[in-house]
Amino acid sequence: MRPILVIPARMAATRLPGKPLADIHGRPMIAHVLDRAREAGIGPVAVAAGESEIAAAARAAGAEAVLVAEDVPSGTDRVQRAMAALDPEGRYDVVVNLQGDFPTIAPETLRAVLEPLADPAVDIGTLVCPIANEEEANTSSFVKCACAFEGDSRVAPALYFSRLPIPWGEGPRWHHIGVYAYRRAALDRFVSLPASPLELREKLEQLRALEAGMWIAAARVDHGPFGVDTPHDLERARAMLAR
């Protein structure tokens, strides 16, 4: 595989506007995310920026940045459009989509997203971690993935995603982590598809891929990364990175 890692980032976050530039110990959050991405050692790292301020901050942190017009429906579309400028020759056949609000993600967690693509039949790799308790299982903002790992296997097919606590019955349940590794052709195909019925119903874009017959597989990790969505989250990230 020849992977490239692209971080989509925009200023218009609902609960924490301007969060890619939020200060963490004198540096913008996007710079810390870039640090984590480089530490993973997956491949080149770039930012797909929604605004010029983000692109400037990324370049100041030593990363390549592409300014993508704001009229895109999702971060995935932003990444795909950026790839046209970053790699018109098609040198990279895998695109890792890392959200710009994971400033504390562990390098080994990020590297794990490539594991499902060891199977050439898999179109998209992603990550899951164990659900800790019933409160988390019943929280709609924690997306659940229906998958079953055989024995000590670290990878399993992702059969469905929901905001409900699926699957029913005794056994482990898995929290979906929104980091993806797309084969280049799969990324191009995904963004060309219209929004699907289950995607619109659950408000989960990965269901579009499943409804189109694409194969998503998940690698399991022990702990999920901490995402920054609120001012409280930002303070927590500052405390974690201070250590």
Side-chain angles (χ1 to χ4, degrees):
M1 290 184 285
R2 299 180 305 281
I4 183 172
L5 195 151
V6 183
I7 303 165
R10 64 189 185 99
M11 297 290 282
T14 304
R15 291 182 287 177
L16 188 61
K19 70 178 177 178
L21 302 185
D23 181 85
I24 301 178
H25 305 304
R27 302 172 70 216
M29 181 162 64
I30 191 67
H32 291 272
V33 180
L34 284 164
D35 288 347
R36 304 294 85 74
R38 293 186 183 111
E39 288 164 6
I42 288 173
V45 179
V47 173
E51 293 85 11
S52 58
E53 304 97 306
I54 297 173
R59 291 171 186 140
E64 189 169 1
V66 175
L67 188 61
V68 179
E70 187 57 36
D71 62 339
V72 292
S74 72
T76 308
D77 294 88
R78 192 178 305 284
V79 167
Q80 192 269 344
R81 289 198 189 182
M83 284 301 299
L86 291 166
D87 184 30
E89 302 90 359
R91 291 169 296 165
Y92 302 106
D93 59 355
V94 171
V95 183
V96 176
N97 179 349
L98 171 64
Q99 294 180 27
D101 55 7
F102 284 154
T104 65
I105 189 170
E108 60 270 20
T109 297
L110 190 48
R111 286 192 292 268
V113 78
L114 294 174
E115 293 178 20
L117 298 186
D119 184 337
V122 173
D123 297 299
I124 303 168
T126 192
L127 298 173
V128 295
C129 67
I131 288 179
N133 51 52
E134 286 302 308
E135 180 182 1
E136 185 176 311
N138 286 285
T139 300
S140 63
S141 60
F142 285 83
V143 177
K144 274 64 72 173
C145 176
C147 55
F149 295 89
E150 295 186 9
D152 295 330
S153 175
R154 287 177 48 86
V155 175
L159 303 178
Y160 193 70
F161 298 87
S162 180
R163 298 184 183 277
L164 288 174
I166 60 171
W168 183 85
E170 294 296 323
R173 285 179 294 199
W174 301 95
H175 173 201
H176 178 233
I177 301 165
V179 179
Y180 297 93
Y182 291 88
R183 296 197 193 277
R184 187 76 174 269
L187 176 61
D188 291 341
R189 183 186 174 204
F190 176 82
V191 301
S192 73
L193 295 169
S196 65
L198 289 173
E199 172 188 2
L200 295 172
R201 184 169 178 173
E202 293 259 21
K203 295 181 172 55
L204 297 173
E205 71 171 13
Q206 59 270 42
L207 292 174
R208 185 192 321 173
L210 291 182
E211 289 189 82
M214 300 173 77
W215 187 2
I216 303 177
R220 59 178 174 179
V221 295
D222 292 335
H223 306 285
F226 165 61
V228 175
D229 290 315
T230 66
H232 175 74
D233 294 338
L234 181 59
E235 290 304 318
R236 182 181 170 193
R238 287 170 176 157
M240 292 173 69
L241 288 168
R243 296 195 295 269

